[in-house]
């Protein structure tokens, strides 16, 4: 029995020096000190030893058990300390970094901010907000708006066609056409939404947002249009903003014009934003072409109207100093956090 005790003691010392993990250490504890372990078996075997030898042998077995238990505990503490030190080295904390703000909350996207401001400006003047479908029929998107089949706007280079008669709308004017077909004057609506054109560079995107406005009533003229747009410009760009109208061409308005606003950075003196002119182009507008009114079932001899189209991205880029339209769609949190 004494020889067996010495044999187990030597075996434990040898095996514990080869341990490489806490799992192996646990297996070794079970093997020798577990319910069916080798040292436990020695204690159970004392009943087979003579009464004279039993005290001496039992003493040696208990000493062995205590020695093995202390040795295993010592190695266990050593392994735990080593693993903690290793983990701390692998997971070093840079105390110079700022802690994440647990109370941080999201904010509206700059496009949403610009759109909301535009809506507020026009609803304050009595306009209603209408939205329409983005997959539109050629009939509403082009035909009703005096854009014939041979017009450049219908070119496959500019328009995303699904079939010959179905396309992704190129303008929210299609909502205006549907409105004139379904409602009788007076009409005063704005139509914000996504539109699609095959164009992509620093100032153009294949998908962008427009807000078009329409007023149809008796005796509507350019003075009404200018007064409406002046009020919008002061509301969105600042109370001291001045406007000017320049002749232009759109098939659904006659006469057509583009509106510039005085540069809100240099106040008309000339800077990089306005390219030294003191003016910034903002939108297109005009008096609704009588052909469009008649196409939509409204008597052009009794009613007249004006319409305008505003690029929401352009307004956002101007107001917030954004140089590239593509930044608006990259979802870079560093950029978006500026608009909290």
């Amino acid at each position: 029995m004494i020889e067996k005790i010495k044999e187990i003691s030597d075996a434990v010392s040898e095996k514990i020096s080869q341990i490489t993990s806490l799992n192996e250490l646990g297996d070794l504890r079970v093997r020798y000190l577990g319910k069916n372990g080798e040292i436990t078996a020695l204690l159970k075997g004392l009943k087979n030893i003579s009464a004279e030898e039993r005290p001496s042998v039992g003493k040696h077995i208990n000493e062995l058990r205590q020695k093995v238990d202390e040795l295993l505990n010592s190695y266990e503490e050593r392994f735990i300390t080593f693993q903690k030190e290793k983990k701390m080295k692998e997971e070093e904390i840079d105390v110079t970094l700022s802690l994440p703000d647990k109370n941080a909350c999201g904010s509206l996207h700059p496009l949403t901010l610009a759109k909301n401001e535009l809506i507020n400006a026009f609803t304050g003047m009595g306009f209603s907000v209408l939205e329409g479908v983005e997959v539109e029929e050629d009939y509403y998107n082009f035909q009703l708006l005096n854009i014939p089949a041979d017009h450049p706007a219908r070119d496959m280079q500019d328009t995303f066609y699904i079939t010959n008669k179905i396309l992704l709308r190129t303008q929210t004017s299609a909502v205006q056409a549907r409105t004139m077909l379904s409602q009788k004057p007076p009409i005063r609506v704005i139509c914000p939404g996504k539109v699609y054109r095959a164009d992509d560079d620093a100032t153009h995107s294949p998908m962008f947002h427009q807000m078009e406005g329409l007023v149809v009533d008796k005796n509507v003229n350019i003075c009404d249009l200018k007064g409406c747009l002046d009020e919008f410009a002061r509301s969105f760009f600042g109370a001291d903003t001045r406007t000017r109208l320049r002749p232009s061409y759109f098939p659904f308005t006659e006469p057509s014009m583009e509106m510039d606003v005085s540069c809100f950075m240099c106040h008309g003196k000339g800077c990089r934003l306005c390219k030294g002119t003191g003016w910034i182009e903002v939108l297109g507008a005009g008096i609704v072409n009588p052909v469009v009114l008649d196409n939509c079932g409204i008597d052009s001899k009794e009613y007249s109207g004006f319409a305008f189209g505003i690029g929401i991205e352009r307004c956002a880029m101007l107001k917030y100093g954004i140089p590239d339209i593509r930044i608006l769609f990259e979802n870079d949190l560093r950029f978006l956090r500026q608009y909290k």
Side-chain angles (χ1 to χ4, degrees), residues 82 87 102 122 138 204 226 241 254 263 271 274 304 308 313 318 328 336-337:
F82 172 76
K87 188 174 182 180
K102 295 181 180 180
F122 287 105
D138 178 283
H204 298 86
K226 189 176 188 309
T241 302
E254 180 59 40
C263 181
C271 65
C274 62
S304 58
F308 54 85
E313 277 84 356
L318 289 172
L328 293 168
L336 297 176
R337 287 193 182 107

Side-chain angles (χ1 to χ4, degrees), residues 236-253:
F236 190 82
F237 293 109
D240 59 345
T241 302
R242 293 176 292 116
T243 66
R244 73 176 183 182
L245 300 177
R246 293 180 290 104
S248 186
Y249 167 75
F250 305 108
F252 32 82
T253 54

Side-chain angles (χ1 to χ4, degrees), residues 255-269:
S256 302
M257 58 207 73
E258 291 181 347
M259 187 183 84
D260 301 333
V261 296
S262 56
C263 181
F264 40 85
M265 293 293 291
C266 66
H267 302 288
K269 296 178 182 179

Side-chain angles (χ1 to χ4, degrees), residues 309-338:
I310 304 171
I312 298 177
E313 277 84 356
R314 178 163 180 76
C315 286
M317 291 171 71
L318 289 172
K319 184 157 189 174
Y320 302 124
I322 300 169
D324 192 321
I325 192 173
R326 290 168 290 198
I327 297 174
L328 293 168
F329 305 108
E330 289 177 351
N331 295 324
D332 188 331
L333 290 178
R334 295 169 299 178
F335 167 72
L336 297 176
R337 287 193 182 107
Q338 300 177 66

